[in-house]
Amino acid sequence: LNSLVIGSRLDHAIESSGVSNAATTSHTSDANSSTTTASSCRLAFCGRLVTPMDPTKDFSRIRWYSPKERRGVISRLGDPHQRQDDGKIVRYEVFGTDLFKKETLLKPFLGMKLVTHPQGDIGELKSAFGTSGKFRIYFPAGTTAREGDVLIMPFKRFVHDAEKKMRQEDLILPKARPGSRVETTKSKNKNNKANASGGNSSKNKPEATGQIEKVKGDKLENGKYPQAIVAGV
């Protein structure tokens, strides 16, 4: 253990158009030709041996993986909130698109984490939004992202993973940072219109009078009839 292990792949020759004429061409021309016509990469690496391993038995102990990612775009912002601890205006919900196809089943991706770019805020995919492949993301600490910003879903695919899941062990949701909802000018105008129409509803409500000509049905316990025929309305 703790031995130095060195690996290399230096046996690939660098192909260049000027190698055969190296004795007759100048140093400058050789350098230019050798740097521009290399067809393979020459590698060397080293490391310390930390544990013994039998490649015929313990190969599954090595967690080989490929880093992958999906990218989308923020198409809509949720309601603005003023965060309590720093006073910043943030959004706890945003809506994205271009991450999935319209026919993609979103259920396997629910709970996956996404990162805003360039802000770096981490949120969680909560649900679909509509039927065109859009989705809703919740940010427990809020985000300052804007419409058009990039959403990234990074994950790892491990070679010997029987479940073949998209792993995100490195991404952790931040703690919740609550805030109070900010009333925008648009919502104020909408509320004012609703209040104005509601306050005048009794005044503008049409009224009509008539005369009961006949009642129908059996008399109820409260002395009233279930139906009446009215004229002159």
Side-chain angles (χ1 to χ4, degrees):
L1 297 180
N2 202 33
S3 301
L4 179 64
V5 179
I6 300 175
S8 66
R9 181 83 177 194
L10 303 177
D11 54 338
H12 286 283
I14 299 179
E15 298 177 1
S16 63
S17 58
V19 170
S20 59
N21 299 325
T24 58
T25 56
S26 64
H27 174 74
T28 303
S29 62
D30 285 341
N32 291 337
S33 62
S34 62
T35 55
T36 56
T37 59
S39 61
S40 59
C41 181
R42 293 154 60 93
L43 303 175
F45 53 92
C46 65
R48 292 287 176 181
L49 184 63
V50 296
T51 183
M53 191 190 78
D54 184 352
T56 62
K57 300 179 180 179
D58 302 329
F59 189 73
S60 60
R61 290 171 55 190
I62 302 178
R63 302 192 70 195
W64 301 95
Y65 69 88
S66 299
K68 298 179 179 294
E69 66 177 31
R70 285 173 172 255
R71 289 189 171 229
V73 178
I74 295 177
S75 60
R76 178 178 171 183
L77 301 174
D79 294 332
H81 289 71
Q82 186 174 23
R83 202 157 50 192
Q84 293 178 1
D85 54 7
D86 59 1
K88 284 187 176 181
I89 302 299
V90 297
R91 317 279 175 150
Y92 291 103
E93 282 187 345
V94 302
F95 303 89
T97 186
D98 296 340
L99 192 68
F100 308 103
K101 295 180 180 179
K102 183 179 179 180
E103 62 274 12
T104 301
L105 183 63
L106 225 61
K107 187 175 180 180
F109 297 94
L110 297 181
M112 294 285 290
K113 303 173 187 70
L114 293 98
V115 183
T116 62
H117 180 76
Q119 296 83 6
D121 300 322
I122 301 176
E124 183 179 9
L125 199 156
K126 283 294 186 181
S127 65
F129 182 69
T131 58
S132 58
K134 295 182 180 180
F135 50 92
R136 178 175 65 93
I137 314 122
Y138 173 69
F139 292 85
T143 178
T144 56
R146 295 289 180 262
E147 288 186 17
D149 286 351
V150 177
L151 289 167
I152 304 175
M153 180 189 287
F155 59 93
K156 298 176 182 177
R157 289 280 195 185
F158 286 88
V159 175
H160 298 288
D161 187 3
E163 298 178 344
K164 297 182 179 181
K165 284 188 175 181
M166 297 176 289
R167 308 287 181 175
Q168 290 185 315
E169 293 91 346
D170 299 338
L171 286 180
I172 301 175
L173 282 176
K175 294 182 179 180
R177 299 171 65 183
S180 55
R181 185 174 179 275
V182 177
E183 191 173 7
T184 61
T185 305
K186 185 177 181 180
S187 61
K188 285 182 180 179
N189 294 336
K190 186 176 181 180
N191 291 334
N192 290 338
K193 289 180 180 179
N195 293 333
S197 60
N200 299 329
S201 59
S202 60
K203 295 180 181 180
N204 300 329
K205 186 177 180 180
E207 295 183 357
T209 58
Q211 184 178 359
I212 297 177
E213 289 190 344
K214 185 180 180 181
V215 293
K216 298 182 66 176
D218 298 331
K219 193 174 183 179
L220 303 177
E221 294 180 358
N222 58 6
K224 297 181 180 181
Y225 291 89
Q227 293 180 345
I229 298 176
V230 181
V233 178

